[in-house]
Each structure stands twice: as C-alpha cells, then as structure tokens.
Amino acid sequence: MTFGLQPEAGAVRMPAPVGDLSAPAGPPPALLFDHVSVRFGAYTAVNDASLHVGDGEFVSIVGPTGCGKSTLLNVAAGLLEPSEGDICVYGRSLEGINADAGYLFQADALMPWRTALSNVITGLEYAGTERKAAERLGNEWLARVGLSGHGERFPHEMSGGMRKRVALAQTLIRDPKIVLMDEPFSALDVQTRVLMENELLQLWTTYRKSVLFITHDLEEAISLSDRVIILSAGPSTHPIAEFRIDLPRPRDVAEIRMTPRFVELYHQIWDAMKEEVLKAYERNQRKLAD
Amino acid sequence: MIADPSASGRTAPGRPAARPQRRPRRRAMPGPIVLTALQAAMFAALIIAWYVLVRAKALPVFFFGDPVLVFQQIVSWFVTGEIFVHLATTLIETLLAFLLGVASGIGIGLWLGLSPLTAALFDPYIKALNAMPRVILGPIFIVWFGLGIGSKVALGVTLVFFVVFFNVFQGVREVNPVILANSRMLGANRRQLLTTVYIPSALSWVFSSLHMSVGMAFVGAVVGEYLGSARGVGYLILQAEATFDVNAVFAGIIVLTVFALVLDLAVTLVEKRLIVGKPKS
Ligand SMILES: Nc1ncnc2c1ncn2[C@@H]1O[C@H](COP(=O)(O)OP(=O)(O)O)[C@@H](O)[C@H]1O
Ligand SMILES: [Mg+2]
C-alpha cells in the first residue's frame, strides 16, 4: 500500500503529480488508473492520471466542476475508452463494460416506465434471475434503503431523495465489488443528504465494497472516505494531491464535522485545493468575459 | 381530478386583494352544466336556422337538404339496421389500418433508428414519401387490392405508418443516454437494451400520438371507401351522391362525425389505462 511506509501519517501531501506512487505493491487494487488520458477531439479533459482504489477502500475524488470527474468515472466504468493508458480491475486490464462495477449516476437514471421495484430488479432480470426470487430480493433491498411499501410507485411519483435510494438499491442488489458514485447526493437538500450519507456509510460498513466517490464538496469527501484525491482544474486534469483520512469509524457524518481532527484535515486539504479552485474560478470568469 | 385552472380564480378566499382587479378584466367562466347547456342551445339554434332558411327558400333545398329529412334518414338507417354493416366495415378497416400501421411503424422506426447507415440510405425516400399527398395512392390501391377491405386498409396503413414511424424513429434517437448507460452497467446485452430501453422509450412516443394515428386510420378507411367500394359509411355517402340525395349525404357526414368522436373517446379511455394507470404487467 502507498501509505504502508507512513503508519503514523494522518494526512500525507503527495508530490504533484502523483505518478508511479499510485501503483501499489501487494495484491492488485480493485481499480487502477494507469497513466490515463482522455481527449475529446482537440480538448484534453484528463491528462496522465494515475490513481487506485484498494479492495474495500472508500476513496473520494474532489475537483472543481467541469474538471473531468465524470469523465474519469466513465473510464472506470468502461463506458468510455481512454485515449491513452490503461484501467486495471483487480489486476486485469479492462475491456468493454466493467462487469465488477456498479455505477450510481449523477443524473436520474431510473426508467420512468418502470415501478420502483421493477427498477430495482432490472439488473437481476438482465442476469436471468427467476422472477419470484428477484422480487423477494428487490423488496428486501427496498426495505434496506428505507422504501418498504413504495415498490409500486413510479419514479415521477417519488421525491429526488427517494429516487436516489431506488438507484442505490438498483446498483447494490447486483452485489458489485466496486461501486462508482458520481456526485450522487449533490441535487438533494442538506437534511436528506446527511441522512443518505449516513445510510451509505452503514451499507458500506456492512458490505465492504470498494468505492470511488466523486464530489465537489470537500466536507462530504472527508466525512465519508478513507482517502481523498484532489484533482487539478481542467483542462488536462490529473490528481495533484491525496490525503488519508484517519477519522475513526463508525462515523456520523453530521457529528464528525464538529471534531477538531476533521477541521484540521479540512484546512490542510483546502490549502492544497485553493490554488486549483482559484484557477478554475478565473477560467470561468474569463469565459464569461469573452 | 385536476381542477380547471380557469375556474380557480373565482374563489380565492385567502386573497381579497386580487379580487377587485380580476373582475373588470374578464367575466367569470360559467360552470360545466351551464356551459353544456349553452353548447346544446347553440347546436339547436344552428339546426333551427338551417331548417327555417331552407323552408323559407332562402337556401335551395336541392343543395342544402332538409334537417328533418336528414334526421329521418339517420333514424331509418338505424331502424332498418341497414347502417350496421357499413359501420362495422368502416370500424374493421380503421382498426386493421391502425394495427398494421402501428406495427410497421414501430418495426421500421426501430430498425432505422438503431442503424444510422440504413437511416441515411433511406432518408431521401422517406422524405419524399412523407411529402407526397398519400391519398392519391388510393386509386392505385384499388387497382392492386380490389374494391374490398384491402385497398382501404392499405391507404390507412400508409397514413398511420408515417405518424408512428417518425415518432418511433425520434424516440429511439432520443433515448436518454443516462438510462442507456445505466442499463449497460446493470449488465444488459444488446437484445435486452432493445426490449427494456429502446422499445419502451419509443412506445411512450407512440402513445403520445395515439389520437393522431387512429384519426389517420379513420381518414384512410373513409377516403378509400369514397374512392370505390361496396360497403362502409364512405360508400353510403358515395351512393347518395350518385343519386343526388343530398339529405343522405348530410346524414352520412353526421354519422361519420359521431363515429369519429366515439373513436376519439375510446382512444382517450385506452390512453388513461396505459399512461396514467400503468397497471402491473
Ligand atoms: N462527450 C464529450 N465530448 C466533448 N467534451 C466532453 C464530453 N464529456 C465531457 N466533456 C468535457 O470534458 C470536461 C470534463 O467534463 P466532466 O467529466 O463531465 O466534468 P465534471 O464531472 O468534473 O464536472 C468538460 O469541459 C466537458 O465539457
Ligand atoms: Mg460531473
């Protein structure tokens, strides 16, 4: 592991760019980005990004809006082929869709013509699971995300928070080893968001998935993660620093934010980010001025 | 039930300030019963005006008919039962044209929607066929399929097909990319993507054009009958015209109109079941 050499270290500032340090020794990580670049025509969205998610680890990626976070996640999902570099899943080079991964999209991805239950068991249906068994498991999962009794509702009959819960159940019911989450709670109000973050942590503690979580919210990243990776502002986005979050678990995301250690970590990471945030801000201002 | 938005202005107890402003601008909408009564009164007035003008010889009866005789004609059609075979014929033609048009529209819409190369290849032909006033195909269909049901169904199908085809084509092209990506992540293969994403997504567009498709099927059936047939409501009108029986022509037009209204009502009922109710499959 990258941090095996520094057992004492809480937050470790990595030299930028991270480069080879992200290829850990030992058992292959759940997910490894090996010098990944993504170009859209002449525009280089991601340039030479290397990072990894260990087995059972909760890693967050933080970066300014538009820097290429979703692009990175799409590459990890196998939905987007990198222009250069490789993605390795448990040591095997990824080709096509990442079958080990579940993906919680930023935008609503439920089928509007299916009920909550029917949406939840879509993946089982694809896998050919017998209908009765699938529905039983589907109802179990609906209960697990706090939606028992709402299985017959259509997406348009549910609130944004409920739809996210359905999407979460839909993803986790397939028992993927890796879960990719793209700003899943950014559209929710603050209270719902804290609730869902806590529920996510509980589920993660129970099932120990390897999670790659994307957010532009530093507090959210710190309160949830084992490790936080900071991206540079786009274009040519790449990781510029990473921090281990040594806050004790189990955590309550609302309470942990009041602890001195959290505040300390927050300031450290914010210092590292500030420059990039300013860069992104200036770039936007210039874009607006043009 | 959703309240009529225009009616909600009448009773706004919590907002007295808004009231004095509203009054002078617009007169309050009458209630539904009063409105229906007014509509019926207007209908009666039209019929009476027609009757009076024709009886006073202000309108030539040879061209405009006599409402009493028109009414008698309709009653006699139903009393003798003569009309039913014609209604049934038109209904069957409409339904067949609708079903075949929808099926072919969905099939070809999916095919072209999913295969950009084929779509590009067919594009000029589709555009030309759509631009053509397809009613003129009627005589050709009569030559090909005879005076029976076949030629009417064929005409209806060509009309329905394009409505459905364009909707499905659009529906497939505009499938929500996030839903598509999500399904792929959930492990869907190509066939499953087709059955669980593309087809339902395209169908929701077909539902939105249901009224139009049924209307087109009906137009195809009636125009086909009118161009040449041995049965159907369009045939009744054709017959009456040939014998200069203007009362029967008007009677036929009225029967057709009521038929179309009933058909539209039926579509509305089906739509409610399919879209709002969405019963478990
Ligand atoms: N399919 C695409 N084609 C062209 N440009 C794209 C595409 N997807 C993303 N981009 C560009 O790449 C950059 C990063 O996008 P994205 O990964 O969505 O950012 P983030 O998720 O961090 O907000 C943006 O500038 C965006 O305009
Ligand atoms: Mg994004």
Side-chain angles (χ1 to χ4, degrees), chain B residues 121-140:
Chain B
L121 192 65
F122 279 87
D123 183 60
Y125 301 98
I126 301 269
K127 282 216 179 85
L129 282 174
N130 187 45
M132 180 173 74
R134 285 180 300 284
V135 172
I136 56 146
L137 290 174
I140 298 178

Side-chain angles (χ1 to χ4, degrees), chain A residues 40 43 45 64-72 106 182-183:
Chain A
F40 297 114
Y43 183 81
T65 301
C67 75
K69 303 184 294 294
S70 299
T71 303
L72 272 179
Q106 183 171 7
D182 192 356
E183 307 194 28

Side-chain angles (χ1 to χ4, degrees), chain B residues 26-231:
Chain B
R26 211 197 312 162
R27 277 172 60 186
M29 222 23 212
I33 297 169
V34 180
L35 194 61
T36 310
L38 284 175
Q39 287 168 339
M42 193 157 135
F43 179 74
L46 275 174
I47 300 291
I48 289 169
W50 179 13
Y51 179 77
V52 170
L53 287 173
V54 168
R55 280 294 152 109
K57 307 250 188 286
L59 292 176
V61 72
F62 181 77
F63 292 118
F64 289 90
D66 181 327
V68 174
L69 297 180
V70 168
F71 182 69
Q72 277 173 2
Q73 176 68 75
I74 294 175
V75 170
S76 101
W77 274 342
F78 279 90
V79 169
T80 60
E82 187 194 345
I83 192 83
F84 292 114
V85 61
H86 299 294
L87 282 176
T89 306
T90 304
L91 182 64
I92 289 171
E93 287 161 359
T94 302
L95 289 181
L96 280 177
F98 172 74
L99 292 177
L100 291 176
V102 166
S104 57
I106 289 178
I108 295 181
L110 279 174
W111 178 38
L112 294 197
L114 290 171
S115 139
L117 176 66
T118 324
L121 192 65
F122 279 87
D123 183 60
Y125 301 98
I126 301 269
K127 282 216 179 85
L129 282 174
N130 187 45
M132 180 173 74
R134 285 180 300 284
V135 172
I136 56 146
L137 290 174
I140 298 178
F141 287 147
I142 288 178
V143 173
W144 287 353
F145 303 111
L147 287 175
I149 266 186
S151 54
K152 285 83 203 167
V153 173
L155 188 58
V157 166
T158 60
L159 296 177
V160 174
F161 170 81
F162 282 92
V163 173
V164 176
F165 168 80
F166 282 113
N167 272 298
V168 171
F169 186 71
Q170 193 81 352
V172 169
R173 284 290 170 98
E174 287 177 17
V175 162
N176 182 338
V178 181
I179 293 181
L180 208 54
N182 191 37
S183 291
R184 291 176 68 197
M185 289 311 294
L186 293 173
N189 58 31
R190 266 189 70 84
R191 190 182 53 76
Q192 288 166 331
L193 280 183
L194 188 69
T195 55
T196 64
V197 183
Y198 284 110
I199 291 180
S201 165
L203 280 186
S204 60
W205 286 66
V206 172
F207 287 143
S208 70
S209 61
L210 220 51
H211 284 278
M212 178 115 168
S213 313
V214 172
M216 285 295 186
F218 184 62
V219 168
V222 173
V223 171
E225 286 165 1
Y226 187 73
L227 290 174
S229 61
R231 263 190 221 107

